Amino acid sequence: MSSNIKPVILCGGSGTRLWPLSRESFPKQFVPLIGGQSLLGLTVGRVKKLGFPVCITNEEHRFFVQDLLTSSLNGATDAGANVLLEPAGRNTAAAMASAALMPGIASSDLLLFLPSDHFVPDVDAFISTMQSGVDAARSGYIVTFGVQPTFPSTAYGYIQQGSCIKDLSASPSASAAYAVERFVEKPQLDKAQEMLLSGNYLWNAGIFLCQASTLLDALSKHAPDILQSCQAAMQVAKVDGSFVRPNKEAFLACRSESIDYAVMEYFDKVAVIPFNGAWSDVGSWNAVANLSPADEAGNRINGQGLAVQSTNTYINAPHRPVVALGTSDLVIVDTPDAVLVASADKVEQVKEVVAQLKKDGASQAVMHRRVARPWGWYDSIDMGERFQVKRIAVKPGASLSLQMHHHRAEHWIVVKGTAKVTNGEDVFLLEENQSTYIPIGAKHRLENPGKTDLEMIEVQSGGYLGEDDIVRFEDTYGRS
């Protein structure tokens, strides 16, 4: 079945409910969470049968998305401008409106909007269900897809399914589309149980299929201010290779609103198609735990965890041994610089804990010890008064900016690969076990001319070692 669907993946969100593994600088959609793959990678792999996707993200995460698209789609480079960079988060209504206004999107195009951080193991069932909404979408409906609930969840919104909409499908085998009676916010447990028993409520998965023109018409009727802000921002958007940047001032003037509140509750042509496959929004540590098999005592282990005389305990320990002795109904998540120990019935409050840590100025609320960069990554492995030690990895062919520091000197020791070093007026190569010294104030650059990763140890010394002590003169990635 040729559906001509254009997937649009919404890659925003900070993912703080999965702290400390997911953090603002590296949220859950990018974290290798399932079988060594990220949720965004799995999402791209799932929708690529429909077509090359558009991704909506921000400046900070643009290279994560670009690299993942390239690797997931076997290096395809003919997709044009397919990464929309929002100047700031303005929720799903603005994101979807901006995507519908992107260069290369025609008014008749079918756009499938979906989150980047959901887990759907049955790809064929997912694709088939999405394609079954084509006829309704071409008939002017906004089609949403509801997941058949398997328990009375209080963590999901719900869709009340109405009567079947006749004459929408040209194919007898296509899934039936139903009218949407109403959308229901996350309920209390007794209400969730009542809705589950009624049999006509579905979990709201936040997935929508419609023509670009249908979405824009709906916004013009029910949220004209959002549409006008996005039109102003996209009319003068700048295209830089695969990146599309809306006008910042116009976009920031847009109010923040979800598509549910802005449009879906008011639009008169909303259809829902049930999805019967397995699905998870991976929205809490309990949801992550449920993706792992349990032992006979209900314990679920990822990595180097060991549960002794314990029941219903989840341990995520990829870096070192973590032992739970005599525990029950606990979630334990270990990272190099922060540890979460939570009662299983309190994991929904992790977001509040992260807000408190951020208020207290704890860097672990936002940043990992290991920080991804477009050229590779660095890991701050030790620090003290007037010194810091980092492991640095640079991808083949990549380079750091030509830069200098006012307050620190650096010693570089190559431990793997070959480094091309600019140190003042000198340019030279360093092999494994060789080193160099970068004085305070010297212009310098690190490059990897080889075909394998370059790894090195950097020892910084000086009176101030903050990341903002960088003066950039040239940068491949457009940073200032």
Side-chain angles (χ1 to χ4, degrees), residues 174-185:
S175 300
Y178 297 86
V180 172
E181 291 292 329
R182 62 179 180 133
F183 292 89
V184 181
E185 283 297 297

Side-chain angles (χ1 to χ4, degrees), residues 8 10 54 56 84 94-103 105 111 113 212 215 234:
V8 180
L10 307 175
V54 166
I56 304 178
L84 178 64
M96 292 168 64
S98 300
L101 295 165
M102 280 182 66
I105 299 294
L111 305 180
F113 298 97
L215 175 65
M234 294 302 294

Side-chain angles (χ1 to χ4, degrees), residues 88-338:
R90 287 295 182 265
N91 219 312
T92 51
M96 292 168 64
S98 300
L101 295 165
M102 280 182 66
I105 299 294
S107 62
S108 60
D109 284 349
L110 287 174
L111 305 180
L112 175 66
F113 298 97
L114 69 164
S116 62
D117 55 0
H118 291 181
F119 178 58
V120 185
D122 192 338
V123 174
D124 290 339
F126 175 83
I127 294 298
S128 177
T129 303
M130 299 303 106
Q131 289 176 327
S132 69
V134 166
D135 292 327
R138 292 219 180 276
S139 297
Y141 281 81
I142 298 178
V143 183
T144 186
F145 298 87
V147 176
Q148 292 284 0
T150 54
F151 65 95
S153 174
T154 60
Y156 303 145
Y158 287 74
I159 301 169
Q160 185 178 5
Q161 176 181 312
S163 58
C164 183
I165 303 173
K166 305 295 184 182
D167 303 323
L168 279 184
S169 176
S171 170
S173 61
S175 300
Y178 297 86
V180 172
E181 291 292 329
R182 62 179 180 133
F183 292 89
V184 181
E185 283 297 297
K186 298 174 183 178
Q188 297 295 320
L189 181 59
D190 57 344
K191 185 63 177 177
Q193 291 172 332
E194 181 183 321
M195 290 191 291
L196 180 65
L197 292 172
S198 75
N200 64 336
Y201 285 86
L202 304 165
W203 287 336
N204 186 353
I207 302 173
F208 305 97
L209 177 67
C210 61
Q211 287 184 309
S213 58
T214 300
L215 175 65
L216 297 176
D217 288 345
L219 284 163
S220 69
K221 293 176 183 176
H222 304 295
D225 60 316
I226 292 178
L227 178 59
Q228 289 165 9
S229 294
C230 293
Q231 286 173 328
M234 294 302 294
Q235 282 170 358
V236 289
K238 295 181 179 179
V239 178
D240 174 18
S242 62
F243 299 127
V244 179
R245 292 181 171 88
N247 177 267
K248 183 176 182 178
E249 183 178 351
F251 194 86
L252 293 180
C254 184
R255 66 181 166 96
S256 178
E257 189 75 276
S258 72
I259 195 66
D260 302 75
Y261 284 128
V263 169
M264 303 300 287
E265 291 189 352
Y266 310 106
F267 193 53
D268 58 357
K269 295 187 72 173
V270 181
V272 61
I273 293 177
F275 175 64
N276 296 306
W279 169 88
S280 172
D281 74 340
V282 200
S284 71
W285 279 114
N286 285 337
V288 175
N290 288 333
L291 299 177
S292 302
D295 64 17
E296 63 276 5
N299 300 309
R300 302 171 189 269
I301 309 297
N302 179 38
Q304 302 179 52
L306 178 63
V308 180
Q309 299 175 27
S310 298
T311 58
N312 301 321
T313 294
Y314 172 70
I315 305 175
N316 188 301
H319 303 289
R320 56 188 167 182
V322 173
V323 179
L325 175 60
T327 61
S328 181
D329 300 313
L330 275 188
V331 169
I332 303 170
V333 182
D334 181 53
T335 69
D337 62 347

Side-chain angles (χ1 to χ4, degrees), residues 43-97:
T43 301
V44 171
R46 187 164 64 248
V47 303
K48 67 182 181 181
K49 290 186 176 182
L50 297 170
F52 202 110
V54 166
C55 288
I56 304 178
T57 188
N58 55 48
E59 284 282 340
E60 183 179 1
H61 299 144
R62 66 193 186 279
F63 293 110
F64 298 155
V65 173
Q66 187 183 53
D67 289 350
L68 193 145
L69 284 174
T70 301
S71 61
S72 297
L73 298 160
N74 300 319
T77 58
D78 58 351
N82 67 315
V83 182
L84 178 64
L85 301 177
E86 295 180 300
R90 287 295 182 265
N91 219 312
T92 51
M96 292 168 64

Side-chain angles (χ1 to χ4, degrees), residues 385-443:
E385 187 177 356
R386 297 183 63 85
F387 84 91
Q388 181 170 210
V389 182
K390 292 182 176 180
R391 287 182 61 205
I392 295 177
V394 184
K395 296 182 288 189
S399 66
L400 283 67
S401 58
L402 179 64
Q403 59 184 250
M404 60 86 72
H405 311 293
H406 289 296
H407 303 287
R408 73 175 185 248
E410 297 175 348
H411 296 259
W412 294 351
I413 305 100
V414 175
V415 296
K416 178 183 177 183
T418 300
K420 181 180 178 182
V421 176
T422 299
N423 188 351
E425 298 299 320
D426 299 326
V427 179
F428 52 91
L429 297 178
L430 288 180
E431 305 291 341
E432 292 181 12
N433 300 317
Q434 294 181 328
S435 63
T436 191
Y437 168 68
I438 312 292
I440 292 176
K443 286 186 180 181

